[in-house]
Structures are given as C-alpha cells and as structure tokens.
Coordinates of all heavy atoms in Angstrom, one line a residue:
M10 N 20.0 29.7 70.9 CA 19.8 28.2 71.0 C 19.6 27.6 69.7 O 18.9 28.1 68.8 CB 18.5 28.0 71.9 CG 18.2 26.5 72.1 SD 16.7 26.3 72.9 CE 16.7 24.5 73.2
N11 N 20.4 26.5 69.5 CA 20.4 25.9 68.2 C 19.4 24.7 68.2 O 19.5 23.8 69.1 CB 21.8 25.4 67.8 CG 22.0 25.4 66.3 OD1 21.8 24.3 65.7 ND2 22.3 26.5 65.7
I12 N 18.6 24.6 67.2 CA 17.6 23.5 67.1 C 17.9 22.7 65.8 O 18.2 23.3 64.8 CB 16.2 24.1 66.9 CG1 15.8 25.0 68.1 CG2 15.1 23.1 66.7 CD1 15.7 24.2 69.4
R13 N 17.7 21.4 65.9 CA 17.9 20.6 64.7 C 16.5 19.9 64.4 O 15.9 19.3 65.3 CB 19.0 19.6 64.9 CG 19.3 18.9 63.7 CD 20.7 18.2 63.8 NE 21.1 17.5 62.6 CZ 20.8 16.3 62.3 NH1 20.2 15.5 63.2 NH2 21.2 15.7 61.2
C14 N 16.1 20.1 63.2 CA 14.8 19.6 62.8 C 14.9 18.1 62.6 O 15.8 17.5 62.0 CB 14.4 20.2 61.4 SG 12.9 19.5 60.8
N15 N 13.9 17.3 63.2 CA 13.9 15.9 63.2 C 13.5 15.4 61.8 O 13.7 14.2 61.5 CB 13.0 15.2 64.2 CG 12.9 16.0 65.5 OD1 13.8 16.5 65.9 ND2 11.7 16.0 66.1
F16 N 12.9 16.3 61.0 CA 12.3 15.8 59.8 C 13.3 16.0 58.6 O 13.4 15.1 57.8 CB 11.0 16.6 59.5 CG 10.0 16.5 60.6 CD1 9.9 17.4 61.6 CD2 9.1 15.3 60.6 CE1 8.9 17.2 62.6 CE2 8.2 15.2 61.6 CZ 8.1 16.1 62.6
C17 N 13.9 17.1 58.5 CA 14.8 17.4 57.4 C 16.2 17.5 57.8 O 17.1 17.6 56.9 CB 14.3 18.6 56.6 SG 14.6 20.2 57.5
G18 N 16.5 17.6 59.1 CA 17.9 17.7 59.5 C 18.5 19.1 59.5 O 19.6 19.3 59.9
H19 N 17.7 20.0 59.1 CA 18.1 21.4 59.0 C 18.3 21.9 60.5 O 17.5 21.7 61.3 CB 17.1 22.2 58.3 CG 17.4 23.7 58.1 ND1 18.3 24.1 57.1 CD2 17.0 24.8 58.7 CE1 18.5 25.4 57.2 NE2 17.7 25.8 58.2
S20 N 19.4 22.7 60.7 CA 19.5 23.3 62.0 C 19.4 24.8 61.9 O 19.9 25.4 60.9 CB 20.8 22.9 62.7 OG 21.9 23.0 61.8
F21 N 18.8 25.4 62.9 CA 18.6 26.8 62.9 C 18.6 27.3 64.3 O 18.6 26.6 65.3 CB 17.2 27.1 62.2 CG 16.0 26.4 62.7 CD1 15.2 27.0 63.6 CD2 15.8 25.1 62.3 CE1 14.0 26.4 64.1 CE2 14.7 24.4 62.8 CZ 13.8 25.1 63.7
N22 N 18.7 28.6 64.4 CA 18.8 29.3 65.7 C 17.5 30.0 66.1 O 16.8 30.6 65.4 CB 19.9 30.3 65.5 CG 20.7 30.4 66.8 OD1 21.3 29.4 67.3 ND2 20.8 31.5 67.4
L23 N 17.3 29.8 67.4 CA 16.1 30.5 68.0 C 16.6 31.7 68.8 O 17.6 31.6 69.6 CB 15.4 29.6 69.0 CG 14.7 28.4 68.3 CD1 14.0 27.6 69.4 CD2 13.7 28.8 67.3
S24 N 16.0 32.9 68.6 CA 16.4 34.0 69.3 C 16.0 34.0 70.8 O 15.1 33.2 71.1 CB 15.7 35.3 68.7 OG 14.4 35.3 69.0
R25 N 16.7 34.7 71.6 CA 16.4 34.7 73.0 C 15.0 35.2 73.3 O 14.3 34.7 74.2 CB 17.5 35.5 73.8 CG 17.5 35.3 75.2 CD 18.7 35.9 75.9 NE 19.9 35.1 75.5 CZ 21.2 35.5 75.7 NH1 21.4 36.6 76.3 NH2 22.2 34.8 75.3
E26 N 14.6 36.2 72.5 CA 13.3 36.7 72.7 C 12.2 35.7 72.4 O 11.2 35.6 73.1 CB 13.1 37.9 71.7 CG 13.7 39.2 72.1 CD 13.5 40.3 71.1 OE1 12.9 40.1 70.1 OE2 13.9 41.4 71.4
F27 N 12.4 34.9 71.3 CA 11.5 33.9 71.0 C 11.4 32.8 72.1 O 10.3 32.4 72.6 CB 11.9 33.2 69.7 CG 11.0 32.1 69.3 CD1 9.9 32.4 68.4 CD2 11.2 30.8 69.7 CE1 9.0 31.3 68.1 CE2 10.3 29.8 69.4 CZ 9.2 30.1 68.5
I28 N 12.6 32.4 72.6 CA 12.6 31.4 73.7 C 12.0 31.9 74.9 O 11.2 31.2 75.5 CB 14.1 31.0 73.9 CG1 14.7 30.3 72.7 CG2 14.2 30.1 75.2 CD1 16.2 30.2 72.8
T29 N 12.2 33.1 75.3 CA 11.6 33.7 76.5 C 10.1 33.7 76.4 O 9.4 33.3 77.4 CB 12.1 35.2 76.7 OG1 13.5 35.2 76.7 CG2 11.6 35.7 78.0
A30 N 9.6 34.1 75.3 CA 8.1 34.1 75.1 C 7.6 32.7 75.0 O 6.5 32.4 75.6 CB 7.8 34.8 73.8
A31 N 8.3 31.8 74.4 CA 7.8 30.4 74.2 C 7.8 29.7 75.6 O 6.9 28.9 75.9 CB 8.7 29.6 73.2
V32 N 8.8 29.9 76.4 CA 8.9 29.2 77.7 C 7.8 29.8 78.6 O 7.1 29.0 79.3 CB 10.3 29.5 78.4 CG1 10.2 29.0 79.8 CG2 11.3 28.6 77.6
A33 N 7.5 31.1 78.6 CA 6.5 31.7 79.4 C 5.1 31.1 79.0 O 4.3 30.8 79.8 CB 6.5 33.2 79.2
D34 N 4.9 30.9 77.7 CA 3.7 30.3 77.1 C 3.5 28.9 77.6 O 2.4 28.5 78.0 CB 3.8 30.4 75.6 CG 2.5 30.8 75.0 OD1 2.0 31.9 75.5 OD2 2.1 30.2 74.0
A35 N 4.6 28.1 77.5 CA 4.6 26.7 77.9 C 4.2 26.6 79.4 O 3.5 25.7 79.8 CB 5.9 26.0 77.5
Q36 N 4.8 27.4 80.2 CA 4.6 27.4 81.6 C 3.1 27.7 81.9 O 2.5 27.1 82.8 CB 5.5 28.3 82.3 CG 6.9 27.8 82.4 CD 7.9 28.8 83.0 OE1 7.7 29.9 83.1 NE2 9.0 28.3 83.5
A37 N 2.6 28.7 81.2 CA 1.2 29.2 81.4 C 0.2 28.0 81.1 O -0.8 27.9 81.7 CB 0.9 30.4 80.6
Q38 N 0.6 27.3 80.1 CA -0.3 26.2 79.6 C 0.1 24.8 80.2 O -0.4 23.8 79.7 CB -0.3 26.2 78.1 CG -1.0 27.4 77.5 CD -0.9 27.5 76.0 OE1 -1.2 26.5 75.4 NE2 -0.5 28.6 75.4
K39 N 1.1 24.9 81.0 CA 1.7 23.6 81.6 C 2.1 22.6 80.6 O 1.8 21.4 80.7 CB 0.7 23.1 82.6 CG 0.3 24.0 83.7 CD -0.4 23.4 84.9 CE -0.9 24.4 85.8 NZ -0.2 24.6 87.0
Q40 N 2.7 23.1 79.6 CA 3.2 22.2 78.5 C 4.7 21.9 78.8 O 5.4 22.7 79.2 CB 3.0 22.8 77.1 CG 1.6 22.9 76.7 CD 1.4 23.7 75.4 OE1 2.2 24.6 75.1 NE2 0.4 23.4 74.7
K41 N 5.0 20.6 78.5 CA 6.4 20.2 78.7 C 7.3 20.5 77.5 O 8.5 20.4 77.6 CB 6.5 18.7 79.1 CG 6.0 18.5 80.5 CD 6.0 17.1 80.8 CE 5.4 16.8 82.3 NZ 5.2 15.4 82.5
S42 N 6.6 20.7 76.4 CA 7.4 21.0 75.2 C 6.8 22.1 74.4 O 5.7 22.5 74.5 CB 7.6 19.7 74.3 OG 6.3 19.3 73.9
V43 N 7.7 22.7 73.5 CA 7.3 23.8 72.7 C 7.4 23.4 71.3 O 8.4 22.8 70.9 CB 8.2 25.1 73.0 CG1 7.8 26.2 72.1 CG2 8.1 25.5 74.5
A44 N 6.4 23.7 70.5 CA 6.5 23.4 69.0 C 7.1 24.5 68.3 O 6.5 25.7 68.3 CB 5.1 23.0 68.5
V45 N 8.1 24.3 67.6 CA 8.8 25.3 66.8 C 8.7 25.0 65.3 O 9.0 23.8 65.0 CB 10.3 25.5 67.2 CG1 11.0 26.6 66.4 CG2 10.4 25.7 68.7
E46 N 8.3 25.9 64.5 CA 8.3 25.6 63.1 C 9.6 25.7 62.5 O 10.4 26.7 62.6 CB 7.3 26.7 62.4 CG 7.0 26.3 61.0 CD 6.1 27.3 60.4 OE1 6.6 28.4 60.1 OE2 4.9 27.1 60.1
C47 N 10.0 24.6 61.8 CA 11.2 24.5 61.1 C 11.2 25.6 59.9 O 10.3 25.6 59.2 CB 11.5 23.1 60.5 SG 12.9 23.0 59.4
V48 N 12.3 26.3 59.8 CA 12.4 27.4 58.8 C 12.6 26.8 57.4 O 12.3 27.4 56.4 CB 13.5 28.4 59.1 CG1 13.3 29.1 60.3 CG2 14.9 27.7 59.2
N49 N 13.0 25.5 57.4 CA 13.3 24.9 56.1 C 12.0 24.1 55.5 O 11.6 24.4 54.4 CB 14.5 23.9 56.2 CG 14.9 23.4 54.9 OD1 15.1 24.2 53.9 ND2 15.1 22.1 54.8
C50 N 11.5 23.2 56.3 CA 10.4 22.3 55.9 C 9.1 22.7 56.5 O 8.0 22.2 56.1 CB 10.7 20.8 56.1 SG 10.7 20.4 57.9
R51 N 9.1 23.7 57.4 CA 7.9 24.2 58.0 C 7.1 23.2 58.9 O 6.0 23.5 59.2 CB 7.0 24.9 57.0 CG 7.8 25.8 56.1 CD 7.0 26.9 55.5 NE 6.7 27.9 56.5 CZ 6.0 29.0 56.3 NH1 5.5 29.3 55.1 NH2 5.7 29.9 57.2
K52 N 7.7 22.1 59.2 CA 7.1 21.2 60.1 C 7.3 21.6 61.5 O 8.3 22.4 61.8 CB 7.6 19.8 59.9 CG 7.1 19.2 58.6 CD 7.4 17.7 58.5 CE 6.9 17.2 57.1 NZ 7.2 15.8 56.9
L53 N 6.5 21.1 62.4 CA 6.7 21.5 63.8 C 7.6 20.6 64.6 O 7.4 19.4 64.7 CB 5.3 21.5 64.5 CG 4.4 22.6 64.0 CD1 3.0 22.5 64.7 CD2 4.9 24.0 64.3
V54 N 8.7 21.2 65.1 CA 9.7 20.4 65.8 C 9.4 20.7 67.3 O 9.3 21.8 67.7 CB 11.1 20.9 65.5 CG1 12.2 20.1 66.2 CG2 11.3 20.9 64.0
K55 N 9.4 19.6 68.1 CA 9.1 19.8 69.5 C 10.4 19.9 70.3 O 11.3 19.1 70.1 CB 8.3 18.5 70.0 CG 6.9 18.6 69.7 CD 6.1 17.6 70.5 CE 4.6 17.8 70.2 NZ 3.8 16.8 70.9
V56 N 10.5 20.9 71.1 CA 11.6 21.2 71.9 C 11.2 21.2 73.4 O 10.2 21.8 73.7 CB 12.3 22.6 71.5 CG1 13.6 22.8 72.3 CG2 12.5 22.7 70.0
S57 N 12.0 20.5 74.2 CA 11.7 20.5 75.6 C 11.7 21.9 76.2 O 12.6 22.6 76.1 CB 12.7 19.6 76.3 OG 12.8 19.8 77.7
A58 N 10.6 22.2 77.0 CA 10.5 23.5 77.6 C 11.6 23.7 78.6 O 12.2 24.8 78.8 CB 9.2 23.6 78.2
R59 N 12.0 22.6 79.3 CA 13.0 22.6 80.3 C 14.4 23.0 79.7 O 15.2 23.8 80.2 CB 13.1 21.3 81.0 CG 14.1 21.4 82.2 CD 14.0 20.1 83.0 NE 12.8 20.0 83.8 CZ 12.5 19.0 84.6 NH1 13.3 18.0 84.7 NH2 11.4 18.9 85.3
Q60 N 14.6 22.4 78.5 CA 15.8 22.7 77.8 C 15.9 24.1 77.4 O 16.9 24.8 77.4 CB 15.9 21.8 76.6 CG 17.3 21.5 76.0 CD 17.2 20.7 74.7 OE1 16.3 19.8 74.6 NE2 18.1 20.9 73.8
M61 N 14.8 24.6 76.9 CA 14.7 26.0 76.5 C 14.9 27.0 77.6 O 15.5 28.1 77.5 CB 13.3 26.3 75.9 CG 13.1 26.1 74.4 SD 11.6 26.8 73.9 CE 11.8 26.6 72.1
Q62 N 14.4 26.6 78.8 CA 14.4 27.5 79.9 C 15.9 27.9 80.3 O 16.1 28.9 80.8 CB 13.8 26.7 81.1 CG 13.2 27.6 82.1 CD 12.2 26.9 83.1 OE1 12.3 25.7 83.1 NE2 11.4 27.6 83.8
R63 N 16.8 27.0 80.0 CA 18.2 27.3 80.3 C 18.7 28.5 79.5 O 19.8 29.1 79.8 CB 19.1 26.1 80.0 CG 18.7 24.9 80.9 CD 19.4 23.6 80.5 NE 20.8 23.8 80.4 CZ 21.6 22.8 79.9 NH1 21.1 21.7 79.5 NH2 22.9 23.0 79.9
F64 N 18.0 28.8 78.4 CA 18.5 29.9 77.6 C 17.7 31.2 77.9 O 18.0 32.3 77.3 CB 18.3 29.6 76.1 CG 19.2 28.5 75.7 CD1 18.9 27.2 75.9 CD2 20.5 28.8 75.1 CE1 19.8 26.1 75.5 CE2 21.3 27.8 74.7 CZ 21.0 26.5 74.9
V65 N 16.8 31.2 78.8 CA 16.1 32.4 79.2 C 16.9 33.1 80.2 O 17.4 32.6 81.2 CB 14.7 32.0 79.8 CG1 14.0 33.2 80.3 CG2 13.9 31.2 78.8
P66 N 17.1 34.4 80.0 CA 17.8 35.3 80.9 C 17.2 35.3 82.3 O 15.9 35.3 82.4 CB 17.8 36.7 80.3 CG 17.4 36.5 78.9 CD 16.6 35.2 78.8
R67 N 18.0 35.3 83.3 CA 17.4 35.2 84.7 C 16.4 36.3 85.0 O 15.5 36.1 85.7 CB 18.6 35.4 85.7 CG 19.4 34.1 85.9 CD 18.7 33.2 86.9 NE 19.3 31.8 86.9 CZ 18.7 30.7 87.2 NH1 17.4 30.7 87.4 NH2 19.3 29.6 87.2
T68 N 16.7 37.5 84.5 CA 15.8 38.6 84.8 C 14.4 38.5 84.3 O 13.4 39.0 84.8 CB 16.4 39.9 84.3 OG1 16.8 39.7 82.9 CG2 17.6 40.4 85.0
A69 N 14.3 37.6 83.2 CA 13.0 37.5 82.6 C 12.2 36.3 83.2 O 11.0 36.3 83.2 CB 13.1 37.1 81.1
A70 N 12.9 35.4 83.9 CA 12.3 34.3 84.6 C 11.5 34.9 85.8 O 11.9 35.9 86.4 CB 13.3 33.3 85.0
S71 N 10.5 34.2 86.1 CA 9.7 34.6 87.3 C 10.4 34.3 88.6 O 10.4 33.2 89.0 CB 8.3 33.9 87.3 OG 8.4 32.6 87.2
E72 N 11.0 35.3 89.1 CA 11.8 35.1 90.4 C 11.1 36.0 91.5 O 10.8 37.2 91.3 CB 13.2 35.6 90.2 CG 14.1 34.4 89.9 CD 15.6 34.9 89.8 OE1 15.8 36.0 89.4 OE2 16.4 34.1 90.2
D73 N 10.8 35.3 92.6 CA 10.2 36.1 93.7 C 11.3 36.8 94.4 O 12.3 36.3 94.8 CB 9.5 35.1 94.6 CG 8.3 34.5 93.9 OD1 7.6 35.2 93.1 OD2 7.9 33.4 94.2
E74 N 11.0 38.1 94.7 CA 12.0 38.9 95.4 C 11.5 39.0 96.9 O 10.4 39.6 97.1 CB 12.2 40.3 94.8 CG 13.0 40.2 93.5 CD 13.2 41.5 92.9 OE1 13.2 42.5 93.6 OE2 13.2 41.6 91.7
G75 N 12.3 38.4 97.8 CA 11.9 38.5 99.2 C 10.8 37.6 99.5 O 9.8 37.8 100.1
Ligands
ZN125 ZN1 12.8 20.8 58.8

C-alpha cells in the first residue's frame, strides 16, 4: 500500500504485515484511522483504517467460520 505524506509529499510503501497489524490494532481500539510515521520527515500521517483494510489478506481478517 502506497502512502503519501501530507507534510513533505514523500510517498512510501507499507508492508502487508504492517497493515495487518495496524488494522487489527485500530479495530481493537475502535479507531477510524491509523497514524503512520513518515520515513522522510518522521511526522505522523493519518491513514483511514477502512482504506487499509482493503490491503489485509482475507485469511488474516476476522472471519467467522460457520
Ligand atoms: Zn513526510
């Protein structure tokens, strides 16, 4: 998932592992967004948790079986 920093305009990539953990965290804390540190200016960029969720593999998402 590609993120663009609102502060410095730098774009960087988030790993699927990071996104999976971040979305799980946001859901646990009922947060609508996840703060990601920009690799360039180190400021916190807010990313919508719902947007992130689309990059989480199905198997990792909480799916009820049966
Ligand atoms: Zn930045």
Side-chain angles (χ1 to χ4, degrees):
M10 180 185 187
N11 207 266
I12 301 292
R13 191 163 180 266
C14 176
N15 324 328
F16 301 97
C17 70
H19 183 78
S20 48
F21 52 101
N22 214 58
L23 295 180
S24 71
R25 195 165 292 167
E26 280 181 359
F27 180 91
I28 294 170
T29 305
V32 168
D34 223 48
Q36 285 176 339
Q38 295 176 46
K39 301 194 189 254
Q40 290 175 331
K41 287 179 182 167
S42 63
V43 176
V45 181
E46 192 182 68
C47 171
V48 294
N49 189 47
C50 68
R51 313 205 73 175
K52 286 189 180 179
L53 292 176
V54 183
K55 281 192 177 177
V56 186
S57 160
R59 188 173 287 182
Q60 201 182 327
M61 268 192 171
Q62 210 165 12
R63 296 171 55 188
F64 291 85
V65 176
R67 280 278 173 209
T68 48
S71 52
E72 266 185 324
D73 292 328
E74 289 181 28

